[in-house]
Amino acid sequence: MFRIRKQACALVTLLTGAALATAVPATAADLPTPVTAGAMAAPQVDGIVFSVAIVGDTVFAGGRFSKARPAGVGPGGAGEVDRHNLLAFSLSTGKLLPWAPDVSGTQYTSATNPGPFCKTVGTNTYVCDTVFRIKKSPDNTRIYVGGDFDKINGQWRSRLAAFDIDDGALALDFKPAVAGRVRGIAVTQDTVYAGGGFRKVNGVNRDKLAAFAFDGTMRDWAPTADAEVYALAPAPEFGRVLIGGQFDKVNGVSHHGWNAVDAYTGADAPWNNKLGVNDVITDIVTDGTTAYAGGFNSIGPDVRYEGRVAVDIESGNLNWSDGCYGDTQAVTVSRGVLYSASHTHDCSAINAAPENGPIDYYRLVAETAAATGEAAADVNTVHAGDPIPEMLPWFPNTNAGPADSYWKNGTWALDSTDRYVVAGGEFTTVNGKAQQGLVRFAARGVPGAVNKGPQTPFRAPSLEKDDEGSVLVTWTGTWDAQNSDLTYRVYRVGVSGPIYEETQPSRPWELPEMSYLDRDAPGGGSYYIRAVDADGVVIGSPQASI
């Protein structure tokens, strides 16, 4: 579609790459503002980060890795140190901290391969020691970690452990024996909830879900799920816990993908949001009244849940769905912005990220936490009239990861504060530059925040002279990685200052085409364009002459 605006000396046409796409809304100035899109330094790892958790000025990261190194250093380079599946670094500086617990698993032999989350160390011989989840306590005194490991610092810790934050020490009193993988953790003022693929805890039946006091004592809370639980989120204001995963039933009742259960009894709680039979919830976060979730579809029909949804915590009623394709691995919410780690593509339900855009996958995405409009048509899981969010101008990007990656997801983990967003994953580049496994982004005004502004290619204008000697200057705009609008200034070589300027919205998939008729041209000349964003970042086009 085209949007045309005429001026006395200018013609503007907005080119779109998707049939359902529309121009950036006039209300863009009223939308929440994401952090900047420029990558900030962070430690690098030689594997995958599956979880990050921010506590004060410390970021804890867990996954499957054995080495960490400073930003800007290649594998094996100066400053590389041992870090076995857990590390910590400063949120404000990005510097690696000395905390270095040794997370390990017992080597075992099996005719059945346990899958890519584990390491193959010989013929039919494996080690499973990955950390999948890190969550902090509400009072910021402890972190809880879950995964496949069975030892930390040589002490038995079966898939679930705690660390005291003040000194980083392994908690001695918290050591339940979980007989299977832990993928999800939620922590309230008095309880630690765990979910995963286990069937027993401390030798007692606990089918994928269990709860513990802070001293490690197992509580009576014992809802059941018939397949793996990936994510948990506490909702103490409503006396419930939200659970998500690959299950079909909870407590023997059909609740595919996610559900709410009573925080004390484990009984089903009201939950009206329904997913398809092959849809899987991977992560859940809340802001007190709304739950936000990301996921994927395990089979892959054309209609499938892979993007993000927002629901009312008390009822499970849908607040919005974005209908995007591309598995979502993690979500975090801050200051009215929902950030996601995914490989988002084809978000035509919300008029964004068309398949024929210049970026194959958007591996980091920001959307409004609140609905901003209604869908115009039935697209994927979204129906005409459904509430939808707005995709915000925040377009950092990573690669998919190493060539031998089993998943090639790129990003896997997110956490945020009012001032920072931290991402982790298997990526080896961020914004086209080498950076492996971890990256920080900061809000405007935060010391060290890095702007990522107008993007290349930004081509030279086209020039055409008429019979009166006037020159028609035509150019295609560019897009900005962290702003909706760009101001374009036309320069004629030899003239001080711009001879014309205008401001237009754009997205990577939706670029404006503009023209200006220079009636004062001396029968020819050389011209170029500069694009400047709201942060003052400038990019110039090559010159063109006539």
Side-chain angles (χ1 to χ4, degrees), residues 5 36 144 415 446 467:
R5 178 172 64 85
T36 57
Y144 294 85
D415 200 6
V446 173
D467 293 340

Side-chain angles (χ1 to χ4, degrees), residues 516-531:
Y516 170 68
L517 185 62
D518 184 7
R519 301 183 187 279
D520 299 322
S526 297
Y527 295 80
Y528 62 94
I529 316 294
R530 284 180 178 165

Side-chain angles (χ1 to χ4, degrees), residues 152-153 155-157 161-164 167-174:
I152 295 179
N153 297 335
Q155 300 184 52
W156 288 105
R157 289 295 186 277
F163 293 88
D164 295 323
D167 59 5
L170 181 67
L172 300 180
D173 58 347
F174 189 84

Side-chain angles (χ1 to χ4, degrees), residues 132-133 145-149 158-160 176-186 192-212 218-219 221-232 243-244:
F132 289 108
R133 193 72 69 174
V145 301
D148 278 340
F149 55 84
S158 184
R159 286 88 181 185
L160 190 62
V178 183
R181 175 174 291 163
V182 171
R183 291 287 293 267
I185 298 173
V192 180
Y193 299 90
F198 52 85
R199 297 294 299 273
K200 289 182 180 292
V201 178
N202 298 338
V204 178
N205 290 339
R206 286 292 186 271
D207 206 350
K208 315 299 189 299
L209 293 159
F212 309 90
M218 188 165 64
R219 298 199 184 281
W221 188 81
T224 63
D226 66 345
E228 192 166 18
V229 172
Y230 283 52
L232 298 172
I243 62 174

Side-chain angles (χ1 to χ4, degrees), residues 23-96:
V24 178
T27 58
D30 300 326
L31 297 175
T33 302
V35 296
T36 57
M40 300 173 70
Q44 302 180 85
V45 297
D46 64 346
I48 306 176
V49 172
F50 288 120
S51 185
V52 291
I54 300 171
V55 186
D57 190 54
T58 300
V59 182
F60 296 93
R64 193 188 70 189
F65 49 83
S66 60
K67 300 284 185 182
R69 62 188 191 275
V73 174
E80 185 172 78
V81 295
D82 291 339
R83 289 292 187 273
H84 294 288
N85 301 333
L86 281 173
L87 62 78
F89 66 94
S90 167
L91 178 62
S92 58
T93 69
K95 300 292 186 181
L96 187 69

Side-chain angles (χ1 to χ4, degrees), residues 36-414:
T36 57
M40 300 173 70
Q44 302 180 85
V45 297
D46 64 346
I48 306 176
V49 172
F50 288 120
S51 185
V52 291
I54 300 171
V55 186
D57 190 54
T58 300
V59 182
F60 296 93
R64 193 188 70 189
F65 49 83
S66 60
K67 300 284 185 182
R69 62 188 191 275
V73 174
E80 185 172 78
V81 295
D82 291 339
R83 289 292 187 273
H84 294 288
N85 301 333
L86 281 173
L87 62 78
F89 66 94
S90 167
L91 178 62
S92 58
T93 69
K95 300 292 186 181
L96 187 69
L97 297 175
W99 187 70
D102 183 10
V103 180
S104 60
T106 300
Q107 180 174 305
Y108 73 99
T109 300
S110 173
T112 303
N113 189 318
F117 290 121
C118 299
K119 295 176 285 191
T120 301
V121 295
T123 302
N124 294 331
T125 305
Y126 309 96
V127 172
C128 300
D129 57 7
T130 297
V131 171
F132 289 108
R133 193 72 69 174
I134 306 173
K135 291 293 183 179
K136 66 179 181 179
S137 62
D139 62 2
N140 291 339
T141 62
R142 274 189 174 182
I143 59 166
Y144 294 85
V145 301
D148 278 340
F149 55 84
D150 59 24
K151 285 186 179 180
I152 295 179
N153 297 335
Q155 300 184 52
W156 288 105
R157 289 295 186 277
S158 184
R159 286 88 181 185
L160 190 62
F163 293 88
D164 295 323
I165 290 175
D166 61 348
D167 59 5
L170 181 67
L172 300 180
D173 58 347
F174 189 84
K175 47 184 178 181
V178 183
R181 175 174 291 163
V182 171
R183 291 287 293 267
I185 298 173
V187 189
T188 65
Q189 295 289 349
D190 59 5
T191 302
V192 180
Y193 299 90
F198 52 85
R199 297 294 299 273
K200 289 182 180 292
V201 178
N202 298 338
V204 178
N205 290 339
R206 286 292 186 271
D207 206 350
K208 315 299 189 299
L209 293 159
F212 309 90
F214 286 167
D215 64 2
T217 302
M218 188 165 64
R219 298 199 184 281
D220 293 336
W221 188 81
T224 63
D226 66 345
E228 192 166 18
V229 172
Y230 283 52
L232 298 172
E237 304 91 338
F238 303 98
R240 59 180 55 189
V241 177
L242 310 183
I243 62 174
Q246 201 161 9
F247 47 81
D248 292 307
K249 293 182 178 181
V250 176
N251 293 326
V253 179
S254 179
H255 293 291
H256 187 85
W258 68 333
N259 189 38
V261 296
D262 188 279
Y264 304 100
T265 68
D268 282 3
W271 193 253
N272 296 327
N273 191 251
K274 306 298 182 184
L275 300 178
V277 295
N278 298 311
D279 297 331
V280 179
I281 293 290
T282 56
D283 199 17
I284 309 169
V285 295
T286 73
D287 61 8
T289 60
T290 302
Y292 307 89
F296 70 94
N297 186 282
S298 60
I299 301 297
D302 288 340
V303 176
R304 59 187 188 266
Y305 166 63
E306 292 182 342
R308 278 71 54 184
V309 295
V311 303
D312 176 70
I313 293 176
E314 188 170 16
S315 63
N317 290 334
L318 181 71
N319 286 353
W320 58 254
S321 176
D322 66 13
C324 293
Y325 291 92
D327 299 352
T328 298
Q329 307 301 332
V331 288
T332 185
V333 64
S334 175
R335 302 183 69 176
V337 179
L338 180 70
Y339 300 90
S340 58
S342 64
H343 58 274
T344 293
H345 62 104
D346 191 0
C347 291
S348 53
I350 60 169
N351 308 320
E355 293 281 26
N356 60 341
I359 300 176
D360 291 333
Y361 290 131
Y362 296 80
R363 299 187 186 277
L364 291 166
V365 168
E367 296 168 296
T368 56
T372 60
E374 295 182 351
D378 293 351
V379 182
N380 198 7
T381 57
V382 175
H383 300 287
D386 282 355
I388 55 174
E390 174 78 19
M391 186 175 287
L392 297 169
W394 188 65
F395 300 111
N397 212 13
T398 76
N399 67 350
D404 62 353
S405 165
Y406 177 84
W407 303 277
K408 293 184 172 62
N409 279 333
T411 52
W412 281 86
L414 284 175

